[in-house]
Each structure stands twice: as structure tokens, then as C-alpha cells.
Amino acid sequence: MSFSATDLQTHHSALLRYALFQLGDAQLAEDVVQETLLAALEKPESFSGQSSLKTWLMGILKYKVLDVHRRRYRDPQFISPLIDEENDRSDFDVLFDTSGHWGSEAPRNWGKPEAHLEDRHFWQTYELCATKMPRRTAMVFAMREVMELEMSEICNQLEISTTNCSVLLYRARMSLRLCLEQNWFESSIVGHS
């Protein structure tokens, strides 16, 4: 199956949105998208046509983004060792009673949350919530839930234990739940959506 450079450029905006969401840096996102398009042009024979061109490009982009995360994770300026364990002051224990059941802060009924996934304001709120998490926690969450990597692959890529990965995912999910309830679902109940 063949394609042209023009065919690739038609997917530039979608690729850039994904990269920007994952990396949070416009210039870096553009660089990764350009690397993705260049990789596609250099090896067009690897596109078999079994998926759409956009899906194939997204697959390449996911690995390019993963490479950036891997480099960032290992960069001492990006993150100090054990930053999540040492500096994440999120205390989710207060949400539970002494028997381990939900206390006064039980999850609210979100109605049909799938309905919100098409709302760009929801995604802006999600991005705001993700930026409030420690970087490593947000990165592990994005790798698992957005990039859909297996936990074993995340652990191998970031050289962390499965226990550490599970803790980071737990913290990310709890942080997002609280933030989305406060900044999205409460306001959508009163008419914001």
C-alpha cells in the first residue's frame, strides 16, 4: 500500500494534538511529530494497509513519545529519585474510614461519564487535573491509560517495580477522581458541559 507526503500531512494536526497532550511542550511535540512523519517516509513498506494510515502513524508516534518519556525519566534535571514517594503529599487515607470503606468523601454519581469524552472543555479540565499530579505519576498514568501499555512494559521501560507502578497508578486515579469531581462533574451538574 502506498501513500504520499501529502497523505501524511493530512494527519499532522491529529498527531500534534496527541503529542502535545502527552508531552506538554509545543516544540517538543512538533519535533516528535516530524520524526514520526519522517520515519513513515523512510520505511513506507512497513505500512501494510491492515489499519488506516492514521492508526499506523499513531502507533509510530506512541513509541516516539515513549522514547521522550524514557529520556525524561532518566534525566536527573527532570525528576529527582523517589520524588513521588518523598514529595507527593496526597493523603487519600482521609477518604476512607477505619474499616477501609468510603468515608464521607465517597465517589459521587458521575451519571454517564462517556458522554463527556467528546466535550473539549472536559479534556481541558482533564489536562488541568493531570498537571496537578507529580510528573512521574502523570507519566505512568498516561503510559497505562492513554498509551495502553501493559504494566510489565511500563515497569521495564521505567525500571520500576510492579508495586511502585501500582502505587503510582492508584495515586493518579485518586487524584484525577477528586480533581474531576471538583472541577468538572460538580460544575456539569449545575449546567457546565
Side-chain angles (χ1 to χ4, degrees):
M1 185 128 221
S2 65
F3 54 83
S4 68
T6 305
D7 295 331
L8 296 178
Q9 278 304 118
T10 62
H11 301 292
H12 181 272
S13 296
L15 296 170
L16 188 59
R17 276 192 308 274
Y18 178 83
L20 188 55
F21 177 72
Q22 289 297 316
L23 301 171
D25 178 311
Q27 184 58 50
L28 185 58
E30 181 63 43
D31 290 347
V32 170
V33 168
Q34 291 303 322
E35 288 176 23
T36 299
L37 297 175
L38 183 60
L41 285 171
E42 288 176 346
K43 295 194 177 183
E45 68 280 0
S46 62
F47 177 58
S48 64
Q50 292 181 345
S51 63
S52 72
L53 182 58
K54 181 179 176 183
T55 301
W56 180 66
L57 291 170
M58 280 292 188
I60 296 170
L61 179 61
K62 282 183 181 183
Y63 282 99
K64 299 286 183 189
V65 167
L66 184 58
D67 288 342
V68 170
H69 283 313
R70 214 178 295 124
R71 284 192 305 270
R72 279 181 165 178
Y73 186 79
R74 291 189 176 107
D75 183 352
Q77 292 177 335
F78 173 71
I79 194 163
S80 63
L82 305 177
I83 191 168
D84 291 311
E85 293 82 1
E86 297 294 327
N87 296 327
D88 183 6
R89 300 292 181 218
S90 305
D91 184 11
F92 301 118
D93 291 340
V94 298
L95 300 174
F96 304 97
D97 63 23
T98 56
S99 65
H101 293 91
W102 288 108
S104 61
E105 290 295 321
R108 294 178 182 88
N109 181 352
W110 288 4
K112 296 184 179 189
E114 306 84 33
H116 298 283
L117 296 179
E118 297 300 318
D119 189 322
R120 69 179 174 84
H121 296 295
F122 170 80
W123 287 108
Q124 290 170 341
T125 304
Y126 168 83
E127 288 179 41
L128 170 76
C129 292
T131 61
K132 292 181 179 182
M133 286 188 275
R135 285 181 167 177
R136 185 166 57 172
T137 303
M139 180 175 23
V140 168
F141 181 81
M143 291 171 78
R144 177 73 179 126
E145 301 300 338
V146 179
M147 299 175 75
E148 300 177 345
L149 298 177
E150 295 296 324
M151 192 176 313
S152 60
E153 190 174 357
I154 296 168
C155 293
N156 287 336
Q157 295 292 333
L158 300 180
E159 298 174 353
I160 60 175
S161 69
T162 55
T163 302
N164 191 8
C165 189
S166 294
V167 168
L168 294 174
L169 287 170
Y170 168 79
R171 288 178 179 169
R173 289 174 180 137
M174 292 299 289
S175 176
L176 280 173
R177 188 205 113 200
L178 292 172
C179 184
L180 287 173
E181 281 183 352
Q182 292 170 355
N183 297 294
W184 178 257
F185 290 105
E186 276 185 9
S187 60
S188 67
I189 291 170
V190 293
H192 169 80
S193 95

